[in-house]
Amino acid sequence: MNEAQTKHDLIEPALREAGWGIVEGSRIRLEFPITKGRLIGQGRRATRIFADYVLEYKNRRIAVVEAKASDLYYTQGVGQAKDYAERLNIRYTYATNGLKIYGMDMLEATEGDVSTYPTPEELWE
């Protein structure tokens, strides 16, 4: 299953099951722009950078989710997830292939497998 299908069939239902986009004040932002791409010259830019998902609650960005296709290893997006969280100054970030989830707390420098996505209230605390 490719990345787009994995997002649609596995990741988005799991996020909604945790309450994202359902709990009042929570929102799932897809393809969230991080950079416009560095200027190359002659009016051209390098490739823009997008986070697969940014989770918002009470009008604050509180988590990044980096998705990969279900046939790839679930931690393959860890480097990207950490980079995006740093660039956006977001504490929590996740890498997933839709089948397994790897969570990271950038402030406490802890990471490891998680069974489900936390609810908006859990991350807010």
Side-chain angles (χ1 to χ4, degrees), residues 54-121:
V54 169
L55 306 178
E56 295 179 348
Y57 187 54
K58 297 182 181 180
N59 294 318
R60 294 201 52 212
R61 296 181 221 143
I62 57 175
V64 174
V65 178
E66 176 57 29
K68 294 297 178 194
S70 63
D71 60 341
L72 297 176
Y73 199 65
Y74 72 109
T75 59
Q76 192 163 334
V78 166
Q80 277 179 281
K82 287 181 177 181
D83 178 45
Y84 298 166
E86 249 179 40
R87 288 175 187 252
L88 294 169
N89 197 26
I90 294 176
R91 179 175 176 176
Y92 301 102
T93 188
Y94 301 89
T96 184
N97 65 357
L99 304 172
K100 291 182 87 177
I101 308 165
Y102 192 79
M104 296 149 277
D105 181 331
M106 302 293 285
L107 181 65
E108 294 189 5
T110 57
E111 54 188 77
D113 291 348
V114 293
S115 56
T116 59
Y117 293 102
T119 66
E121 293 88 1

Side-chain angles (χ1 to χ4, degrees), residues 38-52:
R38 106 186 134 75
L39 288 170
I40 296 173
Q42 299 175 344
R44 295 179 303 156
R45 290 186 176 269
T47 305
R48 296 168 49 163
I49 298 175
F50 294 91
D52 289 319

